[in-house]
Amino acid sequence: MGDGLRWLVDCDDWRYGIVFARGITPQELARRLGGVPGSVPSSLTGAQAWDVVMDDGTDDEDVVRVGAYGGWSFALEYGLPSAAERLVEVSQDGVEVVHLDPQPDHPPAQFAHARDGAAVCSFGIGEEVWRWGQEPDFLLDDLVRAGVLRPDGESARPEEEPFGDADRATLTVLEARFGLALPRDVEERPLPGFVIR
């Protein structure tokens, strides 16, 4: 569907966290992430969101931009992502949540899945052999079918494989399993913004 997620691997400016939520509106997702209504006067592009984050030179404002795409609400996080600590809370009352954090300063990128108030499964993209959560093997069969892992949970990828190829394979699994996608021009699209408190 749409542009999928694999394009993020080749995106030089993927420095924002992404939270997908199914079962709530984009505005409710922003609220659950700590977004303050009216804290940003208008819709923002990604560049404008970074301007808000850096506005006073202290880098102490965190911002989310929200929208909907492919049956999921999504929030793009700018500044210091805090969604990882709030995923269980965001997923309360039957909501399903997927979080992707690019970890540009401390790779690898991270994947996390929560559902109905429980942390289901998490792992580093490219480090899928180390999985945690209430169901750490939740995606094991999918990762095996995609050639990312072997049935015993160990890596099935060639040792000298470029990291981008391995990351694309895992993002392809996430696209297919959850039906996730973002438009490639999401950074240029004005979206409702909220300062996080």
Side-chain angles (χ1 to χ4, degrees):
M1 180 205 64
D3 291 326
L5 297 174
R6 287 166 281 181
W7 61 270
L8 291 167
V9 173
D10 301 311
C11 184
D12 291 335
D13 61 351
W14 183 31
R15 300 186 63 79
Y16 49 88
I18 307 168
V19 182
F20 293 96
R22 186 166 32 205
I24 54 176
T25 65
Q27 289 70 24
E28 176 63 11
L29 175 56
R31 188 192 69 74
R32 291 186 185 199
L33 289 170
V36 178
S39 56
V40 176
S42 63
S43 294
L44 304 171
T45 64
Q48 291 167 327
W50 282 117
D51 287 345
V52 172
V53 168
M54 302 301 289
D55 187 37
D56 62 1
T58 64
D59 193 19
D60 63 355
E61 295 279 67
D62 300 319
V63 173
V64 294
R65 298 169 53 234
V66 298
Y69 195 73
W72 290 81
S73 294
F74 67 83
L76 308 178
E77 302 177 282
Y78 302 85
L80 296 174
S82 61
E85 293 84 36
R86 298 181 185 207
L87 283 192
V88 169
E89 178 184 339
V90 171
S91 73
Q92 295 290 328
D93 303 318
V95 174
E96 184 170 25
V97 180
V98 172
H99 184 234
L100 298 174
D101 183 351
Q103 293 282 316
D105 299 323
H106 186 61
Q110 298 290 307
F111 156 81
H113 176 235
R115 183 179 59 237
D116 200 19
V120 177
C121 177
S122 298
F123 53 77
I125 297 174
E127 295 183 354
E128 297 82 4
V129 296
W130 297 293
R131 301 173 304 283
W132 61 93
Q134 290 186 359
E135 299 176 53
D137 291 339
F138 178 74
L139 293 174
L140 180 59
D141 290 343
D142 302 83
L143 293 166
V144 168
R145 278 192 298 277
V148 175
L149 296 177
R150 296 189 318 239
D152 64 1
E154 293 300 314
S155 179
R157 306 302 292 188
E159 283 193 32
E160 300 302 316
E161 179 180 38
F163 80 91
D165 292 347
D167 291 359
R168 262 187 228 83
T170 297
L171 288 176
T172 299
V173 168
L174 300 179
E175 288 176 16
R177 176 64 186 240
F178 298 104
L180 298 175
L182 278 179
R184 288 179 186 255
D185 66 349
V186 71
E187 279 292 85
E188 288 77 42
R189 292 184 182 198
L191 297 169
F194 301 82
V195 169
I196 299 296
R197 297 279 188 244

